[in-house]
């Protein structure tokens, strides 16, 4: 059990690794993967390829679409003829004729006029009157359904409302009844109603039946026949044969045995990719590797991108470039650094290469986008920088896509602008990174540059309280922040993190501000009425009080680390010496800070900055040489006490920090160069 406890961190990472690998393999499609990569217009790089089985040659999507369009163009629509309306009109003719043409009806030519009207009415309803106009050519053949019978006629034989009016006027004008035109028009206006309409359901059903019969293949390839020879250009029928073979290979039904072998293959490849990520963290980012929460965060982001992309490929592969994969390096750079962001991005793209179509093209585009993301984004907390970076990422996507299209097609006329639009949408989706970073901060307890920028605002509630209760401490914190930030910039540490840590490192002094020199007035010292041990306890307790205040105000753990470590395990030497003067049996532990010692470059820089800035107030008549000696003495003493043993700062970097301190203090005290006499 003791051994398990010691290795619990490694056990957790092993379980995380196994679970992540299992989940990725589980969502992957389990079909076979075609083992050959080929590109239109490029020579076949492998040996002669022979058909492993019989398969049909698939038509291109364009050819299938053209065949369907031709069928749709030549399809015969179905129209319904309502005989009830026609018969009702014919039956009502006599009565309507008598009421509208009474004078003519009673004349000697009344029977002839009736016959003229009936003939015209029969001609009108020979093929019927349309309820609405349709976008068919007049010569287009149609089927006219009259009850259970269908008659093939041309669309132009059906009357529209305009044609009906023209027909009535023409027939009356050319007859002996022209002077009764108004009466005849009123007659037919009362009688005639549209009785022909398009049967959309039957028409579409018939069309769909014809479309379903469209062949998606043209010819076949027999087993063992040669498909393509080595060096032969992949184009035309050869390209279609290869595409057909790939599709047939990946879609064929696999046996249980083959299925398990495919799962084993995927498991090995995915595990290797994730293992490389963990080994990278262990070798080059040990602090991240040792933090289980941060490792979980990185693996979680990889899983999210893999799952989202795989689902898009499964349900709508055309939308694959809308998935904002560039969010991954942006997020990781915000919390860690560029190298972690880029390496994780590359590993994720390699994993996705197993499932995406055109894997080489996809991998190239995404890796280029990841590199552009890392190179272009700086100070991500500035919104303008993010917009510029997204613009550059989208531009590179589009340029790379057009370049691939030129290689494949040899012209720009067939560029799919919908895909270009997808790249733009993917770029806009990348702007979600800011709210995503905020959510991750709350969920995983991480701190980004955006939060650090907010915390560095001296008008924040906690810093305003510090300036009110302990103005001397607040001023000291500002000086330490400036010095520490310059030192961090010099050695490539996180300057924003150091600055924020410096601003809050002494907030514990608000509990007893007058017991600290920088807040005391000239009237007296609060320690004069206390024993050395009591004074030391008050001084030491400002670290504990600071941690309590920070937690109460919900400061991030990374900032609280600066409060804990800014004195390390050093001794309150003044009161320790004072106690030794009256007590030989004094315990040094009663005068030591609880620690821990600094464990990063940033916390080590703050410890040095705090000590140097505080002690510099005791300098009288400072000179350049005096400041140099003073800085060397303080930092060398901390090194001798082993305060920096747990931090990853080097001797060279400490020397660089010393130079910055000397330069800064010289500027603060407005010293001139000392000239020899």
């Amino acid at each position: 059990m003791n051994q398990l406890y010691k290795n619990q961190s490694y056990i957790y990472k092993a379980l995380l690794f196994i679970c992540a690998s299992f989940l990725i393999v589980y969502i992957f499609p389990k079909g076979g993967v075609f083992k050959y990569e080929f590109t239109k217009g490029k020579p076949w790089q492998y040996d002669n390829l022979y058909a492993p089985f019989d398969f049909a040659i698939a038509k291109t999507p364009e050819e299938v679409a053209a065949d369907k369009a031709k069928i749709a163009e030549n399809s015969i629509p179905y129209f319904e003829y309502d005989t009830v309306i026609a018969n009702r009109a014919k039956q009502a003719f006599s009565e309507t004729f008598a009421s509208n043409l009474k004078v003519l009806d009673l004349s000697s030519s009344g029977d002839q006029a009736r016959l003229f009207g009936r003939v015209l009415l029969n001609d009108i309803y020979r093929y019927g009157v349309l309820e609405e106009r349709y976008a068919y050519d007049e010569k287009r053949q149609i089927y006219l359904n009259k009850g259970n019978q269908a008659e093939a006629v041309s669309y132009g034989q059906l009357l529209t409302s305009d044609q009906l009016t023209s027909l009535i006027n023409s027939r009356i004008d050319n007859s002996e009844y022209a002077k009764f035109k108004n009466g005849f028009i009123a007659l037919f206006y009362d009688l005639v109603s549209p009785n022909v309409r398009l049967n959309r359901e039957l028409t579409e059903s018939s069309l769909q039946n014809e479309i379903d019969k469209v062949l998606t293949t043209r010819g076949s390839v027999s087993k063992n026949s040669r498909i393509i020879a080595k060096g032969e250009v992949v184009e035309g029928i050869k390209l279609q044969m290869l595409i057909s073979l790939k599709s047939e290979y990946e879609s064929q039904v696999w046996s249980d045995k083959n299925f398990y072998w495919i799962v084993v293959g995927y498991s090995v490849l995915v595990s290797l990719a994730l293992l490389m990520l963990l080994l990278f963290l262990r070798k080059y980012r040990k602090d991240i590797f040792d933090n289980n929460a941060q490792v979980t965060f990185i693996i979680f982001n990889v899983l999210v991108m893999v799952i989202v992309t795989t689902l898009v490929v499964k349900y709508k592969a055309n939308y694959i470039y809308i998935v904002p994969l560039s969010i991954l390096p942006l997020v990781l750079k915000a919390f860690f650094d560029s190298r972690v962001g880029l390496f994780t991005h590359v590993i994720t793209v390699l994993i996705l290469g197993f499932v995406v179509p055109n894997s080489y093209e996809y991998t190239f585009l995404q890796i280029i986008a990841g590199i552009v993301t890392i190179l272009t984004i700086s100070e991500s907390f500035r919104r303008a920088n993010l917009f510029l970076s997204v613009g550059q990422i989208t531009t590179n996507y589009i340029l790379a896509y057009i370049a691939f299209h030129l290689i494949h097609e040899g012209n720009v006329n067939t560029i799919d602008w919908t895909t270009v639009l997808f790249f733009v949408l993917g770029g806009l989706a990348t702007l979600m990174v800011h709210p995503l970073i905020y959510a991750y901060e709350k969920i995983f307890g991480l701190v980004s540059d955006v939060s650090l920028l907010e915390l560095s605002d001296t008008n924040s509630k906690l810093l305003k309280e510090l300036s009110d209760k302990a103005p001397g401490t607040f001023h000291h914190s500002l000086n330490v922040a400036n010095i520490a930030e310059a030192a961090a910039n010099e050695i490539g540490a996180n300057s924003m993190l150091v600055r924020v840590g410096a601003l809050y490192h002494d907030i514990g002094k608000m509990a007893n501000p007058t017991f600290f020199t920088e807040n005391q007035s000239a009237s007296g010292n609060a320690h004069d009425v206390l024993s050395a041990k009591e004074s030391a306890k008050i001084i030491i307790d400002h670290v504990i009080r600071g941690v309590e205040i920070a937690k109460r105000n919900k400061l991030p753990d990374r900032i609280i680390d600066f409060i804990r470590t800014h004195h390390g395990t050093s001794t309150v030497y003044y009161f320790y010496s004072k106690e030794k003067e009256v007590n030989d049996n004094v315990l040094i532990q009663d005068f030591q800070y609880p620690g821990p010692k600094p464990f990063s470059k940033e916390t080590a820089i703050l410890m040095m900055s705090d000590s140097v800035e505080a002690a510099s107030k005791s300098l009288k008549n400072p000179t350049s040489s005096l400041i140099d000696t003073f800085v060397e003495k303080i930092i060398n003493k901390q090194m001798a006490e082993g305060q920096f043993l747990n931090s990853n700062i080097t001797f060279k970097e400490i020397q660089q920090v010393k130079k910055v301190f000397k330069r800064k203090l010289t500027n603060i005290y407005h010293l001139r160069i000392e000239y020899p006499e």
Side-chain angles (χ1 to χ4, degrees), residues 184-245:
F184 271 105
I185 290 176
L187 166 68
F188 289 111
Y189 179 82
D190 291 341
L191 284 177
V192 177
S193 298
N195 70 322
V196 177
R197 61 179 178 80
L198 177 67
N199 189 330
R200 298 183 185 277
E201 184 177 348
L202 184 57
T203 300
E204 291 173 3
S205 174
S206 176
L207 175 60
Q208 190 59 48
N209 288 336
E210 292 298 319
I211 288 176
D212 290 342
K213 295 176 184 177
V214 172
L215 294 176
T216 57
T217 62
R218 53 173 180 183
S220 61
V221 178
S222 302
K223 182 178 180 180
N224 296 326
S225 60
R226 191 176 73 180
I227 297 174
I228 193 169
K230 184 175 182 179
E232 196 171 351
V233 177
V234 179
E235 60 183 359
I237 189 63
K238 300 292 183 183
L239 175 62
Q240 283 307 113
M241 291 167 68
L242 288 170
I243 293 174
S244 302
L245 176 61

